[in-house]
């Protein structure tokens, strides 16, 4: 403290700006020599970063979808915090209207589920508004509530994307890989996302189809446990524009559901027709006239004639055998009578 002089007011020391201590020296006491504790700068929290990649995905469907598709759509909205929802689109509208809907919703990516005949489900993945866009047939759909898997991840966490090595070999798969990355990856520092990575989206190519799976990463041993949902995407076409335009790629292995169902019906019909033809042939064999075959001259080739025995004529009458009475017979009759009397008594 400064020494006060007589009749002179003491000058007050200036206040230092307080800084929040952090790190290992936060709770450090002042030193013995009078110097204060070491100062540390606090890094900003992860959630207050700048949101640069402003990807927004619109997920909605057409009218006529079933409950399974509705649950799948809701599961994708839950797993993707950067997604938005909209009302169902009328089936009479053209697909080009979706570009205007995405523009009104301020979305630059779109996942559109299109239902046909109340049994076939198609998925459109599109980059709004320039394109490209891809159309898939969705098969083997299983939702989160249906599977009841043991895995569980944090809501709004950021996923890892795992791709099959085939995605880097074929050009059309490379284009789909970039489209999947832009749609399914959660943007960094998104306001609704959590700064954690605890699950994996896997895209595997098997049997000319893309298999989607979702796994949780367990911290203890880094093993994977499936969460869901799961579905299979059968690629149909890739278009240059958004929901239309010139065709960039067409899958030669694709078979429409109508053709598949028609082949199944034809296979069942051919089986029934074969059974009917077999029955008719058997009936003709039964009712047909029998053809008499002539004598075969080679039939007696292996027959050997037996030796002829002389004929003996018996002139004397054979002796009659003596009649021997059964001595045990009257005893049997007597026993039967005794048994009858015993039963009646």
């Amino acid at each position: 403290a400064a020494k006060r002089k007589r009749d002179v007011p003491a000058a007050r020391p200036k206040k230092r700006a307080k800084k929040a201590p952090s790190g290992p020296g936060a709770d450090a006491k002042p030193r013995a020599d009078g110097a204060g504790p070491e100062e540390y700068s606090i890094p900003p929290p992860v959630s207050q970063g700048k949101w640069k990649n402003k990807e927004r995905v619109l997920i909605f469907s057409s009218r006529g979808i079933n409950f399974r598709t509705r649950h799948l759509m809701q599961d994708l909205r839950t797993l993707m915090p950067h997604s938005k929802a909209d009302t169902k689109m009328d089936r009479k509208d053209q697909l080009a209207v979706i570009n205007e809907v995405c523009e009104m919703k301020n979305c630059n990516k779109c996942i559109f589920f299109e239902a046909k005949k109340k049994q076939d489900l198609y998925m459109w993945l599109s980059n709004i508004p320039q394109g490209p866009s891809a159309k898939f047939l969705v098969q083997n759909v299983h939702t989160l509530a249906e599977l009841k898997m043991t895995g569980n991840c944090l809501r709004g966490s950021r996923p890892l994307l795992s791709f099959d090595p085939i995605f880097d070999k074929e050009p059309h798969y490379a284009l789909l890989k970039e489209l999947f990355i832009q749609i399914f990856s959660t943007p960094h520092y998104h306001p609704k996302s959590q700064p954690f990575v605890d699950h994996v989206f896997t895209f595997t190519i098997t049997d000319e189809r893309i298999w989607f799976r979702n796994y949780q990463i367990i911290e203890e041993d880094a093993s994977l446990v499936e969460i869901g949902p799961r579905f299979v995407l059968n690629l149909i076409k890739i278009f240059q524009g958004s929901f239309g335009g010139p065709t960039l790629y067409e899958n030669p292995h694709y078979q429409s559901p109508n053709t598949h169902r028609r082949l199944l019906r034809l296979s069942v019909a051919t089986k029934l027709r074969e059974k009917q033809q077999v029955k008719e042939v058997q009936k003709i064999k039964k009712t047909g006239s029998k053809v008499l075959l002539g004598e075969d001259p080679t039939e007696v080739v292996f027959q050997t004639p037996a030796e002829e025995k002389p004929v003996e004529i018996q002139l004397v009458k054979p002796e009659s055998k003596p009649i021997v009475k059964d001595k045990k017979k009257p005893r049997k009759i007597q026993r039967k009578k005794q048994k009858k009397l015993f039963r009646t008594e």
Side-chain angles (χ1 to χ4, degrees), residues 253-270:
H253 306 283
Y254 171 71
Q255 189 181 55
S256 65
N258 293 333
T259 308
H260 182 65
R261 287 191 288 266
R262 179 173 169 272
L263 292 175
L264 289 177
R265 288 195 300 268
L266 287 175
S267 64
V268 174
T270 49

Side-chain angles (χ1 to χ4, degrees), residues 40-241:
Y40 296 96
S41 61
I42 303 173
V46 179
S47 59
Q48 291 183 0
K50 196 170 183 181
W51 181 29
K52 296 180 181 179
N53 180 20
K54 297 192 176 183
E55 294 283 352
R56 300 180 183 89
V57 183
L58 182 64
I59 303 176
F60 71 117
S61 67
S62 65
R63 296 192 181 277
I65 61 172
N66 53 9
F67 70 97
R68 196 184 300 273
T69 307
R70 187 172 66 252
H71 291 174
L72 174 64
M73 188 168 56
Q74 190 62 37
D75 293 343
L76 290 178
R77 290 173 183 168
T78 305
L79 294 173
M80 300 164 64
H82 60 292
S83 64
K84 289 188 176 182
D86 195 22
T87 57
K88 295 178 182 178
M89 194 182 76
D90 197 356
R91 286 181 290 183
K92 295 180 181 178
D93 296 338
Q94 299 293 329
L95 293 177
V97 181
I98 301 176
N99 296 326
E100 300 177 4
V101 176
C102 292
E103 188 178 354
M104 287 189 293
K105 288 284 183 177
N106 196 17
C107 296
N108 51 3
K109 298 290 184 296
C110 180
I111 299 178
F112 177 66
F113 291 95
E114 185 180 7
K116 290 185 179 180
K117 294 188 175 181
K118 296 184 179 180
Q119 55 184 343
D120 301 332
L121 179 63
Y122 298 92
M123 179 192 286
W124 285 84
L125 300 179
S126 178
N127 182 23
I128 306 297
Q130 290 86 11
S133 59
K135 185 180 181 182
F136 301 91
L137 174 67
V138 185
Q139 298 171 331
N140 302 334
V141 177
H142 298 282
T143 58
L144 276 169
E146 180 186 357
L147 288 175
K148 295 182 181 178
M149 294 290 184
T150 56
N152 193 7
C153 65
L154 182 68
R155 184 186 180 95
S157 60
R158 303 179 67 243
L160 293 174
L161 300 184
S162 174
F163 291 93
D164 197 280
I166 307 176
F167 277 97
D168 298 327
K169 296 178 182 178
E170 300 291 337
H172 60 280
Y173 282 137
L175 178 61
L176 291 177
K177 178 181 177 180
E178 184 63 29
L179 195 60
F180 287 146
I181 290 172
Q182 295 182 14
I183 290 177
F184 287 98
S185 62
T186 303
H188 200 30
Y189 298 123
H190 192 276
K192 293 183 180 179
S193 67
Q194 300 291 338
F196 303 103
V197 178
D198 58 352
H199 63 288
V200 186
F201 289 160
T202 62
F203 299 89
T204 311
I205 298 174
T206 307
D207 194 19
E208 304 295 337
R209 290 170 175 81
I210 301 172
W211 300 64
F212 175 86
R213 295 290 184 270
N214 182 21
Y215 296 98
Q216 178 197 0
I217 304 172
I218 299 177
E219 297 180 359
E220 287 78 8
D221 53 353
S223 60
L224 300 178
V225 180
E226 189 171 357
I227 306 171
R230 55 162 66 171
F231 53 87
V232 179
L233 299 176
N234 191 0
L235 178 63
I236 303 174
K237 284 183 181 182
I238 300 176
F239 300 97
Q240 184 177 356

Side-chain angles (χ1 to χ4, degrees), residues 292-300:
L292 296 175
L293 299 175
E295 293 183 0
D296 190 4
T298 62
E299 189 175 358
V300 294

Side-chain angles (χ1 to χ4, degrees), residues 16-26 28 31 35-42:
R16 293 182 179 179
K18 294 183 178 179
K19 294 184 179 180
S22 65
R31 297 180 184 179
E38 296 181 1
E39 296 179 356
Y40 296 96
S41 61
I42 303 173

